Amino acid sequence: MNVIILVEKPSMDTIKKMALMVVVILPTVSSSAMENDKLKHLTTSGVIGFTANEIFQNYEKALASCLFMGTAKEIYDEIDYRGFSGSDLAADVLGCGIGVMSSEFLGLNFGYDEVGDIKMFTFNIDF
């Protein structure tokens, strides 16, 4: 018996809605569902991934730099504390992906502008 499943490629709006749902729901996960240290790795990597994508405006560079930082942290832990943790690194990878994806697909844009003597940070949401 053959089973054929046709899956339509999701639209950008659908991807944006899914990413927004992950970003909104993820912080509500209780610390009992996830070890506190792993939650710190996840959220910190998410912020780093989001910020890196805003700086580089290139998701590949942002993801690579975020993953590099997470890996460097685990190498430091191994050298200093003899405590390399694969599960910490997995939380870093997930956080980097969520952060970069959020920046890339949600249309969140941070910027800096100067108009004459006025300096301002800007924040835009494109939907």
Side-chain angles (χ1 to χ4, degrees):
M1 174 165 82
N2 292 331
V3 176
I4 298 174
I5 300 173
L6 299 175
V7 178
E8 184 178 332
K9 182 179 176 184
S11 69
M12 187 55 73
D13 283 342
T14 302
I15 292 172
K16 286 181 181 181
K17 288 175 186 174
M18 288 170 43
L20 181 60
M21 188 171 64
V22 168
V23 169
V24 169
I25 292 174
L26 194 60
T28 64
V29 175
S30 69
S31 60
S32 64
M34 181 183 285
E35 186 182 325
N36 193 30
D37 181 54
K38 306 303 179 263
L39 193 57
K40 288 178 184 177
H41 278 269
L42 182 80
T43 55
T44 302
S45 294
V47 170
I48 292 170
F50 184 91
T51 305
N53 198 51
E54 290 298 317
I55 292 169
F56 293 123
Q57 293 295 308
N58 179 311
Y59 75 92
E60 292 170 334
K61 288 180 182 178
L63 196 56
S65 64
C66 185
L67 294 174
F68 173 79
M69 291 175 89
T71 304
K73 168 67 168 91
E74 289 309 310
I75 291 171
Y76 170 79
D77 285 351
E78 176 61 27
I79 292 169
D80 219 29
Y81 304 112
R82 300 263 184 233
F84 184 92
S85 172
S87 57
D88 283 354
L89 193 57
D92 290 336
V93 169
L94 182 60
C96 288
I98 290 170
V100 170
M101 181 179 72
S102 298
S103 175
E104 189 72 20
F105 294 118
L106 290 178
L108 301 174
N109 298 302
F110 292 98
Y112 175 79
D113 287 329
E114 290 186 26
V115 180
D117 291 339
I118 301 171
K119 297 176 175 120
M120 64 186 122
F121 288 100
T122 59
F123 174 71
N124 299 312
I125 301 175
D126 300 325
F127 276 101

